[in-house]
Coordinates of all heavy atoms in Angstrom, one line a residue:
K1241 N -11.3 7.6 -18.5 CA -12.5 7.1 -17.7 C -12.4 7.5 -16.2 O -13.3 7.3 -15.5 CB -12.6 5.6 -17.8 CG -12.8 5.0 -19.2 CD -13.0 3.5 -19.1 CE -13.3 2.9 -20.5 NZ -12.2 3.1 -21.4
H1242 N -11.2 8.0 -15.8 CA -11.0 8.4 -14.4 C -10.6 9.8 -14.3 O -9.7 10.1 -13.4 CB -10.0 7.4 -13.8 CG -10.3 6.0 -14.0 ND1 -11.3 5.3 -13.2 CD2 -9.9 5.1 -14.9 CE1 -11.3 4.1 -13.7 NE2 -10.5 3.9 -14.7
E1243 N -11.1 10.7 -15.1 CA -10.6 12.1 -15.1 C -10.7 12.8 -13.8 O -11.8 12.7 -13.1 CB -11.4 12.9 -16.1 CG -10.9 14.3 -16.4 CD -11.5 15.1 -17.5 OE1 -12.4 14.4 -18.1 OE2 -11.2 16.2 -17.8
G1244 N -9.6 13.4 -13.3 CA -9.6 14.1 -12.0 C -9.3 13.2 -10.9 O -9.1 13.7 -9.8
E1245 N -9.3 11.9 -11.0 CA -9.0 11.0 -9.9 C -7.5 11.0 -9.6 O -6.7 11.1 -10.5 CB -9.5 9.5 -10.2 CG -11.0 9.4 -10.3 CD -11.4 7.9 -10.5 OE1 -10.5 7.0 -10.3 OE2 -12.5 7.7 -10.9
R1246 N -7.2 10.9 -8.4 CA -5.8 10.9 -8.0 C -5.2 9.4 -8.2 O -5.9 8.5 -7.9 CB -5.6 11.3 -6.6 CG -6.1 12.7 -6.3 CD -5.8 13.2 -4.9 NE -4.4 13.5 -4.7 CZ -3.8 14.6 -5.0 NH1 -4.5 15.6 -5.6 NH2 -2.5 14.8 -4.8
A1247 N -4.0 9.4 -8.7 CA -3.4 8.1 -9.0 C -2.5 7.5 -7.8 O -1.7 6.7 -8.0 CB -2.6 8.2 -10.2
E1248 N -2.7 8.1 -6.6 CA -1.9 7.7 -5.5 C -2.3 6.3 -5.0 O -3.4 5.8 -5.3 CB -2.0 8.7 -4.4 CG -1.4 10.1 -4.8 CD -2.2 11.2 -4.2 OE1 -3.3 10.9 -3.7 OE2 -1.7 12.3 -4.2
G1249 N -1.4 5.7 -4.3 CA -1.7 4.4 -3.7 C -0.7 3.4 -4.0 O 0.5 3.6 -3.7
K1250 N -1.1 2.3 -4.6 CA -0.1 1.2 -4.8 C 0.8 1.6 -6.0 O 0.5 2.3 -6.9 CB -0.9 -0.1 -5.1 CG -1.6 -0.6 -4.0 CD -2.3 -1.9 -4.3 CE -3.0 -2.5 -3.1 NZ -3.7 -3.8 -3.3
R1251 N 2.0 1.1 -5.9 CA 3.1 1.5 -6.8 C 4.0 0.3 -7.1 O 4.0 -0.7 -6.4 CB 4.0 2.6 -6.2 CG 3.3 3.9 -6.0 CD 3.7 4.5 -4.7 NE 5.1 4.7 -4.6 CZ 5.7 5.2 -3.5 NH1 5.0 5.5 -2.4 NH2 7.0 5.4 -3.5
I1252 N 4.7 0.4 -8.2 CA 5.8 -0.5 -8.5 C 7.1 0.2 -8.2 O 7.4 1.3 -8.8 CB 5.8 -1.0 -9.9 CG1 4.6 -1.9 -10.2 CG2 7.1 -1.8 -10.3 CD1 4.5 -2.4 -11.6
L1253 N 7.8 -0.2 -7.2 CA 8.9 0.6 -6.7 C 10.1 0.6 -7.7 O 10.4 -0.5 -8.3 CB 9.4 0.1 -5.4 CG 8.4 0.2 -4.2 CD1 9.0 -0.3 -2.9 CD2 7.9 1.6 -4.0
S1254 N 10.7 1.8 -7.9 CA 11.9 1.9 -8.8 C 13.1 2.1 -7.9 O 14.2 2.2 -8.5 CB 11.7 3.0 -9.8 OG 11.4 4.3 -9.1
T1255 N 13.0 2.3 -6.6 CA 14.1 2.4 -5.7 C 14.6 1.1 -5.3 O 14.0 0.0 -5.6 CB 13.6 3.2 -4.5 OG1 12.5 2.5 -3.9 CG2 13.3 4.6 -4.8
P1256 N 15.8 1.0 -4.8 CA 16.2 -0.2 -4.1 C 15.2 -0.7 -3.2 O 14.4 0.1 -2.6 CB 17.5 0.1 -3.4 CG 18.1 1.3 -4.2 CD 16.9 2.1 -4.6
P1257 N 15.1 -2.0 -2.9 CA 14.0 -2.6 -2.1 C 13.8 -2.1 -0.7 O 12.7 -2.2 -0.1 CB 14.2 -4.1 -2.2 CG 15.7 -4.2 -2.4 CD 16.1 -3.1 -3.3
H1258 N 14.9 -1.5 -0.1 CA 14.8 -1.2 1.3 C 14.4 0.2 1.6 O 14.1 0.6 2.8 CB 16.2 -1.4 2.0 CG 17.3 -0.6 1.3 ND1 17.8 -1.0 0.1 CD2 18.0 0.5 1.8 CE1 18.8 -0.1 -0.2 NE2 18.9 0.8 0.8
Y1259 N 14.2 1.1 0.6 CA 13.7 2.4 0.9 C 12.7 2.9 -0.2 O 12.7 2.4 -1.3 CB 14.8 3.5 1.1 CG 15.5 3.9 -0.1 CD1 15.0 4.9 -1.0 CD2 16.8 3.4 -0.5 CE1 15.7 5.3 -2.1 CE2 17.5 3.8 -1.6 CZ 16.9 4.8 -2.4 OH 17.6 5.2 -3.5
A1260 N 11.8 3.8 0.2 CA 10.8 4.3 -0.7 C 10.4 5.7 -0.2 O 10.6 6.0 1.0 CB 9.6 3.4 -0.8
Y1261 N 9.8 6.4 -1.1 CA 9.3 7.8 -0.8 C 7.8 7.7 -0.6 O 7.1 7.0 -1.3 CB 9.6 8.7 -1.9 CG 11.1 8.9 -2.2 CD1 11.8 8.1 -3.1 CD2 11.9 9.8 -1.4 CE1 13.2 8.3 -3.3 CE2 13.2 10.0 -1.6 CZ 13.9 9.2 -2.6 OH 15.2 9.3 -2.8
L1262 N 7.3 8.5 0.3 CA 5.9 8.7 0.6 C 5.5 10.1 0.4 O 5.9 11.0 1.2 CB 5.5 8.2 2.0 CG 4.0 8.3 2.3 CD1 3.2 7.3 1.5 CD2 3.8 8.1 3.8
K1263 N 4.9 10.4 -0.7 CA 4.5 11.8 -1.1 C 3.2 12.2 -0.3 O 2.2 11.6 -0.6 CB 4.3 12.0 -2.6 CG 4.1 13.4 -2.9 CD 4.3 13.7 -4.4 CE 3.3 13.1 -5.3 NZ 3.4 13.5 -6.7
I1264 N 3.4 13.1 0.7 CA 2.3 13.4 1.6 C 1.4 14.5 1.1 O 0.3 14.8 1.7 CB 2.8 13.7 3.0 CG1 3.6 14.9 3.1 CG2 3.6 12.5 3.5 CD1 4.0 15.3 4.5

C-alpha cells in the first residue's frame, strides 16, 4: 500500500541505548 515510499524516520533501536546511527 506504500510502494516507493521511504521507510526512514522512527525506529526501534538495536544498538546499546547511548548511541545510534543516522543514515543521511
Side-chain angles (χ1 to χ4, degrees):
K1241 296 184 178 67
H1242 309 279
E1243 188 173 358
E1245 293 183 15
R1246 301 184 73 83
E1248 297 144 342
K1250 294 183 178 180
R1251 295 138 58 183
I1252 293 179
L1253 297 181
S1254 60
T1255 54
H1258 58 285
Y1259 72 83
Y1261 299 93
L1262 181 66
K1263 186 162 67 169
I1264 66 173

